[in-house]
Structure formats: structure tokens, C-alpha cells
Amino acid sequence: MASSSRKARLYGGMDAEERRAERRLRLIDAAIEVYGEVGYRVPTVKAICEAAELTERYFYESFANSEALLIAAYNHVVGHLHEEMIAAAAAAGDDPEARLRAALTLYFTRLKQHPKPARVFLLEISGISPAVDAVKLDALRVFSDILVPPASDPKRGDKAAMATLLSNGMVGAVISIALRWVSKQYPQAVEDVVAIAASFCRVALTETNSHTIST
């Protein structure tokens, strides 16, 4: 009896939970495609559903509104990107400079290879709402820690403030470089952009390494 009940819940080899997850991913993929083409503010929920070949009923099964879908699409893009950056840095060995350049190379390479997710990651996530800004801020903290891992011992006082300022400046510089590079249709070679971005990161890297050594 249990086996028959199980079979009744299956469709195409997936149970109800798996089908829901598959539909959610289709909507996220469609959002990345559509937002990457025309931006976040233009398409309707209906347009996203049509791109995903799903009805609006299934949209609201997974997302409260378009903003929730944007956040999910952003987290999807950024999550994969961060995983690849971490793997690239790990493959570069123990030298902090080599790890930094490997992570930056992966970052700028993926932006060039995948312009539609890049648009979602760099452009469409800005200025939407405080909730979206908070998600973006969390992602930027992870991004910073990948490029320049924080010292093993927590900093206090003035050193903590300096480390935060350096981290913010480093990430801001890298994102600004990426925004201009992407918006201008990648005029410089990846290795040249990496060299420029690395020069901004190196200050934070030096500060972190000196603190680690001194402690």
C-alpha cells in the first residue's frame, strides 16, 4: 500500500517536493535570462512565467513577489560564482597574492563569459529596496573574505576600523572596475583588468598579512 501511495506521488521520476524545486529553478533561470536582457524593472511576473513555461500559479508557489525572485536569482548567481572563486583560490596554493589573483581571474572571466548573469549581479541588484541592499551587502562581505581572508585573530579598536575601511574600499574598487568593464563591453583583456583590480586589493592584503605576522 505504501509503495502504491509513493508511486501516486511520483511524476516523471520526481515527487511533489522535487517538482516544486525544479519549477523554482526554472523561474530563477528565466529571471536571469530576462533580467539580463531587459533589466529587472521592465518585465512582469507573467513575462517571467512565460519564459519559464510555467503559469503564474507556480510563480506564487515559490515567490511572494518579483523582488523575492530577484533576490533568489542574485543569490543563485553569486553563490555559484563564490564557490568557483573559492576553488580557484584553493588551487593556487598557499601564497596570498597568487590566491588573490586566481580568484580575481575567475571573477572577471565569468563576467565576460556570462554577460546576462553579470548584469543581474552588477546592475539589476542596485537601488531596489533595503531588503535587496541587505542581501547585496552580505554577498559583498563574502566576496571580500574570498579575496583577502581576514586575519585569524580578531582585530580590535583602531585596527578593526582600519581593516573594515580597507575591506570596503577594496570591494568598492573591484566592483567599480567590473561595472565599467562590463558596461563598455569588455575593452581590456581579463589579465589587464585583474592586474588593475589586484593593485587595489594589495593594500588590504598587506595590512592583513602584517597583522597576522605581528600577532
Side-chain angles (χ1 to χ4, degrees):
M1 188 69 170
S3 176
S4 298
S5 176
R6 172 67 176 170
K7 288 179 181 178
R9 293 196 303 270
L10 289 173
Y11 179 80
M14 296 187 291
D15 62 23
E17 179 100 16
E18 290 168 335
R19 292 199 305 274
R20 178 172 176 170
E22 189 267 343
R23 289 192 294 267
R24 184 177 189 276
L25 183 58
R26 282 168 62 183
L27 288 163
I28 289 172
D29 287 340
I32 293 169
E33 183 73 17
V34 173
Y35 297 160
E37 284 280 356
V38 300
Y40 165 70
R41 292 171 176 83
V42 175
T44 61
V45 166
K46 182 179 179 181
I48 299 296
C49 291
E50 288 176 351
E53 298 183 343
L54 293 169
T55 65
E56 291 182 52
R57 175 172 75 88
Y58 289 125
F59 178 93
Y60 292 106
E61 171 188 67
S62 294
F63 304 104
N65 48 42
S66 293
E67 185 177 305
L69 175 60
L70 175 64
I71 289 173
Y74 177 76
N75 283 334
H76 184 76
V77 171
V78 171
H80 283 294
L81 182 61
H82 286 171
E83 287 175 3
E84 287 193 288
M85 290 175 68
I86 290 169
D94 296 327
D95 179 64
E97 173 78 18
R99 293 171 64 89
L100 167 65
R101 294 182 73 90
L104 285 172
T105 298
L106 188 285
Y107 171 71
F108 284 106
T109 297
R110 290 294 181 266
L111 291 184
K112 186 173 183 179
Q113 289 176 335
H114 304 292
K116 290 179 182 178
R119 179 170 180 170
V120 174
F121 173 64
L122 291 171
L123 300 175
E124 298 308 320
I125 199 68
S126 299
I128 304 299
S129 72
V132 176
D133 289 342
V135 172
K136 179 180 177 182
L137 184 59
D138 285 341
L140 291 179
R141 290 193 189 101
V142 176
F143 186 64
S144 173
D145 289 347
I146 293 171
L147 296 180
V148 179
S152 55
D153 294 327
K155 296 182 168 89
R156 293 186 176 90
D158 292 342
K159 287 189 175 182
M162 179 64 74
T164 299
L165 287 174
L166 284 171
S167 176
N168 290 342
M170 173 190 72
V171 171
V174 173
I175 296 297
S176 294
I177 290 167
L179 277 167
R180 181 170 179 81
W181 188 60
V182 170
S183 67
K184 296 294 183 180
Q185 300 297 309
Y186 319 102
Q188 294 84 21
V190 168
E191 54 267 28
D192 294 333
V193 182
V194 168
I196 294 168
S199 67
F200 286 94
C201 299
R202 203 166 286 118
V203 177
L205 184 65
T206 301
E207 169 65 18
T208 299
N209 287 342
S210 65
H211 176 76
T212 302
I213 293 170
S214 64
T215 54

